[in-house]
Amino acid sequence: GAVVSQHPSRVICKSGTSVKIECRSLDFQATTMFWYRQFPKQSLMLMATSNEGSKATYEQGVEKDKFLINHASLTLSTLTVTSAHPEDSSFYICSARLLAGGRNEQFFGPGTRLTVL
Amino acid sequence: SQELEQSPQSLIVQEGKNLTINCTSSKTLYGLYWYKQKYGEGLIFLMMLQKGGEEKSHEKITAKLDEKKQQSSLHITASQPSHAGIYLCGADRGGGSNYKLTFGKGTLLTVNP
């Protein structure tokens, strides 16, 4: 299957600081990427849809000014958690949509565990 | 919004046994994805089903989508400890939604050697 990477895999930061998480599709181009968060023992909750070359689409209840998304190229989307607080501590996972050659699949990155102190 | 119910929530089986995980939707599924997740890690794509009655297999894992496209099952034959993990079904909300996925709460599978 296609490979999606995330960086960093773990990050610990102080309350009030900003953290950037990168999501890259390594062997395919993705016009659409998705950002999810997952709390312990819970399922994935979609936060936003990242569209290359245009603004991200946020799910209801997700603050766009707090979770900044940039999809600058067909292989890279970034999520910046601004002014992070302890309640933002979570597991953030991105996925990239592969739409080519008759395939329509989503591949997920390994996740980034954010801990805000 | 589309709700996905997975059952059972957790499952403990002895190595070598067969098992089935179910995923039921309140609405017609345009696409149904099965993923496996180890705790604290990303999701591993298993299979995607789109057509009513479709069935796909990979190694010892078989996934089916019913004719009405509202229920899917994941069957593991002769389970092994390597099958342990969280199995998630995800539903494609349809082309107009830009292929966003809604996930079930997952099924935690433990395989005892």
Side-chain angles (χ1 to χ4, degrees):
Chain A
V3 180
V4 176
S5 70
Q6 275 184 247
H7 178 79
S9 57
R10 290 178 177 270
V11 57
I12 300 173
C13 68
K14 293 182 179 180
S15 185
T17 60
S18 294
V19 175
K20 180 186 284 188
I21 303 170
E22 293 184 348
C23 177
R24 293 181 185 273
S25 56
L26 297 184
D27 49 2
F28 66 101
Q29 294 182 330
T31 55
T32 304
M33 293 183 174
F34 301 91
W35 286 96
Y36 298 81
R37 65 189 297 181
Q38 185 180 34
F39 291 105
K41 297 186 179 181
Q42 294 189 24
S43 191
L44 281 74
M45 296 298 296
L46 180 65
M47 298 175 65
T49 303
S50 174
N51 303 298
E52 188 269 336
S54 64
K55 292 183 178 180
T57 306
Y58 291 81
E59 295 298 300
Q60 191 173 11
V62 178
E63 299 177 56
K64 60 180 67 177
D65 294 331
K66 181 166 184 63
F67 298 99
L68 301 178
I69 291 173
N70 184 279
H71 195 149
S73 77
L74 288 171
T75 59
L76 173 64
S77 174
T78 60
L79 169 69
T80 301
V81 183
T82 62
S83 187
H85 291 284
E87 57 266 30
D88 297 324
S89 298
S90 188
F91 192 56
Y92 291 86
I93 306 178
C94 71
S95 72
R97 180 175 164 226
L98 171 59
L99 184 62
R103 300 173 70 180
N104 179 11
E105 298 166 7
Q106 279 193 40
F107 294 93
F108 284 76
T112 297
R113 183 160 302 283
L114 170 64
T115 303
V116 185
L117 302 176
Chain B
S1 63
Q2 188 159 54
E3 297 288 336
L4 285 180
E5 293 288 335
Q6 276 188 246
S7 63
Q9 289 186 339
S10 63
L11 190 56
I12 302 173
V13 300
Q14 204 65 30
E15 182 177 359
K17 295 294 185 183
N18 303 336
L19 63 105
T20 299
I21 299 169
N22 294 301
C23 178
T24 303
S25 170
S26 58
K27 298 181 181 180
T28 301
L29 297 162
Y30 289 92
L32 190 287
Y33 294 72
W34 282 102
Y35 292 90
K36 177 186 173 184
Q37 184 183 30
K38 295 279 189 181
Y39 180 72
E41 298 181 12
L43 277 66
I44 300 170
F45 174 77
L46 296 176
M47 274 168 278
M48 186 240 185
L49 305 167
Q50 259 187 319
K51 300 175 183 176
E54 188 174 9
E55 179 176 322
K56 288 185 179 179
S57 293
H58 178 67
E59 297 181 344
K60 294 184 178 180
I61 301 176
T62 300
K64 300 178 184 179
L65 182 61
D66 74 339
E67 290 289 345
K68 292 184 178 180
K69 296 173 63 175
Q70 284 190 279
Q71 186 169 26
S72 178
S73 61
L74 186 80
H75 184 79
I76 299 177
T77 304
S79 58
Q80 299 170 354
S82 60
H83 287 127
I86 302 167
Y87 288 82
L88 291 157
C89 64
D92 186 333
R93 298 184 195 176
S97 69
N98 201 17
Y99 302 96
K100 300 176 185 178
L101 294 184
T102 302
F103 284 90
K105 293 185 178 180
T107 295
L108 175 62
L109 172 63
T110 303
V111 181
N112 290 326

